Amino acid sequence: MTGSKTAALLIIGDEILSGRTQDTNTQTIAQMLGVKGIVIREVRVIPDVIETIVDTVNTIRRQYDYVFTTGGIGPTHDDKTAEAMAKAFGTTLERNADAWQRLVIHYEGEANMNAGRAKMAEIPVGAVLIDNPVSVAPGFRMDNVHVMAGVPKIMKGMMEFILPTLEGGDVVHARSVSADLPESALAQGLEAIENAYSGISVGSYPKFTPGMKPSTVIVICGVVLADVEKAANEVADLMERHGGTPRSSS
Amino acid sequence: MTGSKTAALLIIGDEILSGRTQDTNTQTIAQMLGVKGIVIREVRVIPDVIETIVDTVNTIRRQYDYVFTTGGIGPTHDDKTAEAMAKAFGTTLERNADAWQRLVIHYEGEANMNAGRAKMAEIPVGAVLIDNPVSVAPGFRMDNVHVMAGVPKIMKGMMEFILPTLEGGDVVHARSVSADLPESALAQGLEAIENAYSGISVGSYPKFTPGMKPSTVIVICGVVLADVEKAANEVADLMERHGGTPRSSS
């Protein structure tokens, strides 16, 4: 992973922890960052509790190049991320003039700015806004921490806004090769292939389908594409030696 | 959440962090634990790196009643969880006689026990096995940490084995009420309802569908079912006062 930038995700939301809602933002963000050469090294899912958010943000923002958070920036009392972010950075919330103006225009006049809508203009002092192409209420960035909405469509729009502002790194290329073989048959050969290439990682993922032979997907990753492809060819050869028919994809 | 037991999940796997694979184990485990009165307070997704696994397990196992891990107990070199767990608990791996026997029977004789299959019998000293109803290779428990496979079907089978062994707590009941209203309209009323009941949490989740009015799902949670239902009725009344037609579900 030499030369790649690193990131952590912070998924803020009781509804993910309770199992009521399936998180899909992790996968979306990982794929979007991946093409820029930014790799996610850690994801944490935490509840909507201010102290927990503050402690977690302050721990992880110093460990990675970038932090991305989702959830907790809406108009209701259970949206605590903005307040927590202000605390984490030792500042306070203020009515952000730019955010306020966007919301007033969207809701067609100050007369329609109830307390909930006004709350979405309360942004930590010093933050830089992140555009929201779906429902206007912005996210924001403080230092290396990007604070986004939890609703997947809004989050994705915010990520599209953020991406051009990020300094990327070496892109990690991946190839996958699969065959109808149990992964135990391939174990020793795979380790030898990984060891033969510095900077290449070889992951093995078994699949079990009732009534079918066990199959295995091998994923080869690395920043040097030529090495990834050479290693993937070696994996395919290994599978053939064990009587499998390798199927490759990128 | 008074009286509920607490848990943390540790999702171990490069393939989740890279976005190649969508984690679904979190939701499955959360729902299975929920009915026992065990609430997940934190989820971490980390890579297949021994030092990271050791540090994370040793941090979180002291903070929660239970820890559940998924991933990294297969036959290949990238399966590092068993070795990491041994290190975390200051012990070593040994060939577990019971695990070995199960695998020998499954693979129809010692002659078929290649290095990969033998690896799956290497279990930390002192661990208690967790049955695997799909592919035999067991998970294991050390103290309050339950180590499971990452393949969703196997993980679920292991959870079904584990559940009766867990001491449960107060079950958190939930009701949800939704209406075609923007959540900002409900914000103040919702906070008042949450404040009126101790031990009740009120979560607000907006939905944006192109071409449709914004809608909002309100989730009311608490261990006292009567209070949850009373608060849910108040949420429905609040929606009606704002011109909405509440739809309830549990």
Side-chain angles (χ1 to χ4, degrees):
Chain A
M1 306 276 170
T2 325
S4 299
K5 297 280 182 183
T6 61
L9 300 192
L10 194 54
I11 310 289
I12 301 164
D14 295 343
E15 74 280 16
I16 309 293
L17 291 173
S18 72
R20 290 188 79 87
T21 301
Q22 165 72 54
D23 166 63
T24 59
N25 287 337
T26 296
Q27 186 170 35
T28 305
I29 297 171
Q31 291 176 346
M32 292 177 87
L33 292 177
V35 298
K36 294 271 296 191
I38 302 168
V39 296
I40 296 176
R41 301 298 290 164
E42 180 173 0
V43 182
R44 298 199 194 185
V45 188
I46 60 171
D48 299 289
V49 173
I50 287 180
E51 298 68 34
T52 308
I53 302 170
V54 170
D55 290 349
T56 311
V57 164
N58 278 339
T59 300
I60 63 177
R61 70 190 173 94
R62 299 186 174 99
Q63 296 177 9
Y64 304 98
D65 294 319
Y66 301 109
V67 171
F68 300 85
T69 79
T70 68
I73 61 167
T76 53
H77 66 283
D78 58 326
D79 291 304
K80 296 170 182 165
T81 302
E83 185 181 340
M85 288 295 300
K87 274 200 181 158
F89 281 87
T91 185
T92 55
L93 294 174
E94 64 174 355
R95 178 171 293 177
N96 181 290
D98 188 6
W100 176 260
Q101 178 173 284
R102 293 182 199 183
L103 289 159
V104 167
I105 292 169
H106 179 66
Y107 291 115
E108 302 178 349
E110 292 213 4
N112 297 320
M113 289 296 287
N114 59 30
R117 290 168 178 174
K119 180 172 185 284
M120 295 191 286
E122 295 287 315
I123 305 283
V125 175
V128 179
L129 297 186
I130 296 171
D131 280 11
N132 170 348
V134 176
S135 55
V136 177
F140 57 88
R141 175 178 68 78
M142 301 189 74
D143 196 0
N144 63 337
V145 183
H146 298 77
V147 176
M148 303 187 288
V151 176
K153 202 177 316 167
I154 302 176
M155 187 286 299
K156 192 160 183 235
M158 289 180 170
M159 275 301 294
E160 282 162 0
F161 177 84
I162 294 166
L163 272 182
T165 72
L166 302 177
E167 189 187 343
D170 288 342
V171 173
V172 176
H173 301 281
R175 291 288 181 272
S176 78
V177 191
S178 57
D180 294 337
L181 291 167
E183 58 172 351
S184 55
L186 305 170
Q188 284 182 291
L190 293 174
E191 186 167 16
I193 294 169
E194 182 173 273
N195 291 340
Y197 294 87
S198 77
I200 292 284
S201 74
V202 178
S204 176
Y205 307 104
K207 271 195 185 173
F208 300 91
T209 310
M212 309 267 286
K213 277 203 226 177
S215 71
T216 301
V217 182
I218 305 300
V219 179
I220 303 97
C221 296
V223 297
V224 181
L225 180 57
D227 284 354
V228 171
E229 290 181 336
K230 267 191 264 178
N233 289 338
E234 290 197 33
V235 170
D237 291 346
L238 174 71
M239 288 170 166
E240 284 183 346
R241 284 202 302 280
H242 283 86
T245 305
R247 301 176 293 274
S248 299
S249 64
S250 59
Chain B
M1 308 277 169
T2 327
S4 298
K5 296 281 181 183
T6 62
L9 299 193
L10 195 53
I11 309 289
I12 300 165
D14 295 344
E15 73 281 16
I16 308 292
L17 290 173
S18 72
R20 289 189 79 88
T21 301
Q22 165 73 53
D23 165 63
T24 59
N25 288 337
T26 296
Q27 186 170 36
T28 305
I29 297 170
Q31 292 174 347
M32 293 177 86
L33 292 177
V35 298
K36 293 272 295 189
I38 301 168
V39 295
I40 296 177
R41 301 297 291 162
E42 180 174 358
V43 182
R44 298 199 194 187
V45 188
I46 60 171
D48 298 290
V49 172
I50 287 179
E51 297 69 31
T52 307
I53 302 170
V54 170
D55 291 348
T56 310
V57 163
N58 278 338
T59 299
I60 63 177
R61 70 190 173 94
R62 298 183 174 101
Q63 295 177 10
Y64 304 98
D65 295 319
Y66 301 110
V67 171
F68 300 86
T69 80
T70 68
I73 60 166
T76 53
H77 66 283
D78 59 327
D79 291 304
K80 296 169 180 166
T81 302
E83 185 180 341
M85 289 296 300
K87 275 201 180 158
F89 281 86
T91 184
T92 55
L93 293 173
E94 65 173 354
R95 177 171 294 179
N96 181 291
D98 188 6
W100 176 259
Q101 179 174 282
R102 293 182 199 184
L103 288 158
V104 167
I105 293 170
H106 178 68
Y107 292 115
E108 302 176 348
E110 293 212 4
N112 297 321
M113 290 295 288
N114 59 29
R117 290 167 178 175
K119 181 172 185 284
M120 295 190 287
E122 294 289 314
I123 306 283
V125 175
V128 179
L129 298 186
I130 295 172
D131 280 12
N132 171 350
V134 176
S135 55
V136 177
F140 57 88
R141 176 178 68 77
M142 301 191 73
D143 196 0
N144 63 337
V145 183
H146 299 77
V147 177
M148 303 186 288
V151 176
K153 202 177 315 168
I154 301 176
M155 186 286 298
K156 192 161 184 236
M158 289 181 170
M159 275 300 295
E160 282 162 358
F161 177 84
I162 294 167
L163 272 181
T165 72
L166 303 177
E167 188 189 344
D170 289 342
V171 173
V172 177
H173 301 282
R175 291 288 181 271
S176 79
V177 191
S178 58
D180 294 338
L181 291 169
E183 58 172 351
S184 54
L186 305 170
Q188 283 183 292
L190 292 174
E191 187 168 14
I193 294 169
E194 182 173 272
N195 292 339
Y197 295 86
S198 78
I200 291 286
S201 75
V202 178
S204 175
Y205 306 103
K207 271 196 184 171
F208 300 92
T209 311
M212 309 267 285
K213 278 203 226 176
S215 71
T216 302
V217 182
I218 305 300
V219 179
I220 303 97
C221 296
V223 297
V224 181
L225 180 58
D227 284 352
V228 171
E229 290 181 335
K230 268 192 262 177
N233 288 338
E234 290 198 32
V235 170
D237 292 345
L238 175 71
M239 288 170 165
E240 284 183 345
R241 284 201 303 279
H242 284 86
T245 304
R247 302 176 292 275
S248 298
S249 63
S250 59

